[in-house]
Amino acid sequence: MKKKVAVIFTGGTISMKIDPRIDAAIPALSSEEILAMVTNIEKFAEIEIINFAKLPGPHMTPNKMMELAKLVKETIRRDDITGVVVTHGTDTLEETAYLLDLTIKSEKPIIVVGAMRNGSELGYDGPSNLSASICTAISEKAKGRGVLVVMNNEVNAASEVTKTNTLSLNTFKSPEFGPLGIVDNDEVIFYRDIINHEHIETDSIEPKVALIKCAAGMDDDIINFCIETGYKGIVIEALGRGNVPPDMVKGIKKAIENDIPVVIVSRCPTGRVLDTYGYPGAGRTLRQLGAIFGNNLPGQKARIKLMLALSITKNMNKIKEIFEKDIYK
């Protein structure tokens, strides 16, 4: 018997074509039309189509991600399902993939996939990406590796991958450590694995979390705005090793005193944050104030993680443990 893969369609460029009236891409292709372009896939797997939405990437919200996570959980638990593939808009694909990775514990493969070119463009990459994803979903080697992102015949971990280019077909990369493997001749080949897979057991999310990017000379105006308007958490993409301009420190201190967790990550594309420096605004200062360090997560993923953490606890020490356990002393 052929293995059965559920393909959950959520939208994105993979489901778009050019509308001649406005000369721009919009959602247009049905799931059946997309799968019809994945030639000979029936020789490899039985496909079950599940239509979730037709959302462009920027229309995806944290609450929608949680709805999707619930659907994926229900689907992956079925005895007849070998794996799940989720199509998604590439603009927010890494955030959804990371949320699924944190909230779903399953040995069965879960793959997130998209396209960089729409169905009206030359070289439409949707069908090839989808076929590689289905081949990964039916592979025994893909079991127990967490949520994977398959694009351009590369397999990346949801916890590591990020969109690096606005146009390139190979936009999804893991800048720190590289891909886990490749899809070659319809077979997935893994070259490395991730040792620790994090899990946050929750069915809800706290969407009121801000993301602030540091730049030279910034002050605490935005932080104060977040405090005054009821934000429950703040992620700061700090400079370098985890340092901020000194005029931001007062706002960070105020947020922490108001029981609003502040997570520090770096605006650098690779490397982790650490309290190496001790001048005003440096990492040591922020850590002494009670700021939480987010290791090597980019801001958008640290925000997802903080949203999930806040859904299960408001205790600062417990949130700190979620982010820092086994990473920082």
Side-chain angles (χ1 to χ4, degrees), residues 206 208-212 223 226-227 230-236 251-265 286 289-294 302-303 305-324:
E206 172 50 69
K208 199 79 171 172
V209 174
L211 173 58
I212 301 170
I223 299 172
C226 292
I227 296 168
Y231 276 79
K232 307 302 181 184
I234 299 171
V235 175
I236 295 179
I252 293 171
K253 183 174 184 288
K254 183 179 177 183
I256 294 168
E257 287 173 347
N258 281 271
D259 295 321
I260 300 170
V262 177
V263 175
I264 304 295
V265 294
L286 304 180
L289 289 175
I292 297 164
F293 279 17
R303 178 173 174 262
K305 191 172 184 178
L306 184 53
M307 286 176 168
L308 293 171
L310 283 166
S311 76
I312 59 173
T313 182
K314 302 296 186 288
N315 184 288
M316 203 77 78
N317 289 327
K318 289 181 180 177
I319 294 170
K320 187 183 183 76
E321 185 178 3
I322 288 170
F323 274 89
E324 298 190 358

Side-chain angles (χ1 to χ4, degrees), residues 97 100-102 104-111 142-149 156-159 180 193-194 197-198:
L100 296 177
D101 191 52
L102 286 174
I104 301 174
K105 210 170 187 177
S106 175
E107 283 292 303
K108 294 181 182 179
I110 299 169
I111 318 298
K143 286 183 175 180
R145 295 182 185 267
V147 175
L148 303 172
V149 174
N156 286 277
S159 58
L180 299 183
D193 200 0
I194 293 174
H197 291 275
E198 297 180 85

Side-chain angles (χ1 to χ4, degrees), residues 198-213:
E198 297 180 85
H199 181 69
I200 299 174
E201 188 63 46
T202 182
D203 292 318
S204 59
I205 195 164
E206 172 50 69
K208 199 79 171 172
V209 174
L211 173 58
I212 301 170
K213 184 168 186 170

Side-chain angles (χ1 to χ4, degrees), residues 3-24:
K3 295 177 178 179
K4 182 186 271 191
V5 175
V7 182
I8 300 174
F9 287 86
T10 76
T13 298
I14 196 170
S15 65
M16 294 189 187
K17 291 184 76 173
I18 298 292
D19 185 336
R21 296 171 300 169
I22 59 173
D23 194 28

Side-chain angles (χ1 to χ4, degrees), residues 118-188:
N118 67 68
S120 298
E121 291 182 279
L122 287 172
Y124 172 48
D125 57 325
S128 63
N129 287 339
L130 191 49
S131 66
S133 297
I134 293 169
C135 288
T136 304
I138 63 175
S139 172
E140 290 292 318
K141 298 173 186 175
K143 286 183 175 180
R145 295 182 185 267
V147 175
L148 303 172
V149 174
V150 177
M151 296 274 290
N152 201 44
N153 287 320
E154 285 192 347
V155 182
N156 286 277
S159 58
E160 297 177 347
V161 75
T162 191
K163 188 175 182 179
T164 65
N165 189 281
T166 61
L167 178 67
S168 297
L169 297 185
N170 66 341
T171 179
F172 281 93
K173 297 180 182 293
S174 299
E176 193 89 65
F177 307 112
L180 299 183
I182 60 171
V183 180
D184 184 17
N185 196 32
D186 303 322
E187 179 187 2
V188 63

